[in-house]
Amino acid sequence: MSNRRRPALVNIYRSEFLRSRAWFARRDRWFRDQSTRGIPLECAACGQPADKHHLELHHLDYTGMSSTNGRWLALEAHEDLMPLHPYCHDLLHRLIDRDPVLSENRTRRDATHLALRRLRPKLQPADGSTR
């Protein structure tokens, strides 16, 4: 098991899946579902409120993502996606990629939650208020 990003897979994921109609439809559906549930949008790392145009979705699991005959499917469960500001998302991936325990010895979901526990105190104001 490894969470370390592999260049070939990252390129396909970024150049194809994240630009696919399937992903844009799934992303829109995730934000719509979040709104329907009455859950305010905020970054899972820094806790700051944001709208969908300022958030990216981090995959906790890739099981709903697949390609069949060159056509992408984005069937991720709602709870397998997590909203993050682009900066916070990048920090999360850097932390996971650089820590051998997180990148090689934990599931992606566990690695994400452990990395977020490290990042949150550094990204959120000490008094718990929003910036």
Side-chain angles (χ1 to χ4, degrees):
M1 160 180 37
S2 176
N3 290 314
R4 196 174 300 277
R5 292 194 247 185
R6 295 175 199 96
L9 293 177
V10 169
N11 289 339
I12 291 170
Y13 174 74
R14 288 178 187 250
S15 67
E16 293 183 18
F17 178 72
L18 291 180
R19 295 179 182 185
S20 71
R21 287 183 184 174
W23 172 243
F24 281 103
R26 178 62 188 107
R27 185 181 188 282
D28 287 343
R29 191 170 70 251
W30 188 91
F31 284 109
R32 193 171 45 254
D33 290 349
Q34 196 76 348
S35 175
T36 300
R37 294 173 184 198
I39 303 171
L41 291 178
E42 64 180 35
C43 177
C46 69
Q48 298 303 304
D51 62 37
K52 72 178 190 175
H53 304 291
H54 294 101
L55 292 168
E56 297 177 346
L57 293 178
H58 173 75
H59 282 86
L60 294 172
D61 192 316
Y62 288 116
T63 56
M65 184 185 96
S66 63
S67 177
T68 305
N69 298 326
R71 188 166 176 234
W72 286 100
L73 298 174
L75 304 172
E76 301 90 341
H78 186 83
E79 56 277 355
D80 287 342
L81 299 169
M82 174 183 290
L84 295 164
H85 288 115
Y87 175 76
C88 297
H89 196 182
D90 184 55
L91 287 177
L92 177 72
H93 277 286
R94 283 195 220 176
L95 182 56
I96 291 171
D97 289 347
R98 291 179 182 166
D99 184 326
V101 171
L102 296 178
S103 66
E104 297 175 19
N105 298 304
R106 297 286 186 267
T107 65
R108 182 173 176 81
R109 182 178 306 279
D110 289 345
T112 296
H113 289 298
L114 290 167
L116 281 174
R117 277 191 222 141
R118 289 187 201 164
L119 287 175
R120 282 184 183 128
K122 294 171 181 12
L123 294 171
Q124 294 177 345
D127 62 5
S129 66
T130 59
R131 290 180 214 169

